[in-house]
Amino acid sequence: ALPAVESVAKRPLYQLSILERGLYAHQLKHWTSPPWQRQQLLVLNYHSFYGMHEQDRSLTILKTFTGLAPHSLPMINEAESKAVMDCETRNKLGAFYAEPNQILYKMLAADHTSRVAPTIEPEFQPFVLPKCHS
């Protein structure tokens, strides 16, 4: 059974299940509450960061944000994943995360509009459901 989204905000992060840890809006709220500030947290989409077409740009953003000296890094993900998820599982997960992800997208957009997100942070692209097989 999938966990209730409402239960996540009431528990510490270390007590969350794998599914609950994917409710990123709750984690973002936790990590941007005092003493931390939103400008201290760079939010990148995993697929943009590890995707071949955006990896160099993402690494440049990360290095600039952290103050690391620019240097080349080996390609982390030289090929797209060939793993394919069962369609029933993908659809259940997609339904479970649909509303929480919309909350996340709105939260991140509001952070950019109100200028509390790091200026170097790119606009967050919505998650794309992976390929599946029947």
Side-chain angles (χ1 to χ4, degrees), residues 73-91:
L73 295 173
M75 286 299 290
I76 296 169
N77 188 11
E78 295 180 356
E80 295 295 321
S81 173
K82 294 186 177 32
V84 180
M85 183 183 295
D86 175 75
C87 289
E88 182 180 354
T89 301
R90 187 210 53 190
N91 293 341

Side-chain angles (χ1 to χ4, degrees), residues 30-97:
H30 171 79
W31 287 109
T32 57
S33 60
W36 298 284
Q37 297 177 0
R38 176 64 172 88
Q39 294 91 347
Q40 296 174 293
L41 184 66
L42 178 68
V43 179
L44 298 173
N45 184 304
Y46 173 87
H47 294 288
S48 295
F49 188 76
Y50 284 106
M52 292 199 46
H53 59 287
E54 301 237 6
Q55 191 174 48
D56 286 340
R57 178 175 175 259
S58 295
L59 286 173
T60 299
I61 290 169
L62 183 60
K63 287 182 225 174
T64 302
F65 181 76
T66 59
L68 293 173
H71 61 281
S72 65
L73 295 173
M75 286 299 290
I76 296 169
N77 188 11
E78 295 180 356
E80 295 295 321
S81 173
K82 294 186 177 32
V84 180
M85 183 183 295
D86 175 75
C87 289
E88 182 180 354
T89 301
R90 187 210 53 190
N91 293 341
K92 283 182 182 179
L93 290 171
F96 174 74
Y97 287 116

